[in-house]
Amino acid sequence: MSEPLPAFDGRHPPIDPPAECINPLVWRLSRRLFADHMPGPDGWCLLCRPAITYPCVARQLADRGLTFAMTGRDPVTDRSSHRGNRGHRW
Ligand SMILES: [Zn+2]
């Protein structure tokens, strides 16, 4: 299960990139993905039904992308964008 985005403390991240965002394009793409893969009343992703788990893979990627846009680090691989991101692991 993905971690909540620390900067937003359980609240939905804003649609527009925050001022401190270092990669607005990744933010916008990830924020759209985040919005598309919300849980329904039963807790499962509204878009990925039937699903096996929640968060679904797309929502996990959205969370990673939002974190990457803010920090330049992928929370799963813990790699900085400055160390090279060839062979994208997404
Ligand atoms: Zn989904």
Side-chain angles (χ1 to χ4, degrees):
M1 179 172 270
S2 63
E3 302 276 325
L5 296 168
F8 304 103
D9 207 17
R11 293 169 290 148
H12 287 179
I15 292 172
D16 292 323
E20 60 273 26
C21 178
I22 62 175
N23 195 324
L25 175 61
V26 171
W27 179 273
R28 290 185 190 284
L29 291 167
S30 299
R31 183 57 178 83
R32 290 288 301 259
L33 200 60
F34 177 95
D36 288 345
H37 294 271
M38 294 283 193
D42 58 2
W44 299 104
C45 179
L46 291 169
L47 205 60
C48 296
R49 292 171 189 260
I52 297 171
T53 61
Y54 190 84
C56 62
V57 171
R59 177 56 185 270
Q60 292 176 42
L61 289 172
D63 290 348
R64 285 173 67 182
L66 291 168
T67 300
F68 185 82
M70 293 299 293
T71 65
R73 297 188 70 83
D74 181 341
V76 173
T77 61
D78 197 29
R79 289 190 178 157
S80 168
S81 60
H82 303 294
R83 292 171 57 188
N85 57 0
R86 286 187 191 166
H88 304 272
R89 294 191 182 251
W90 297 42

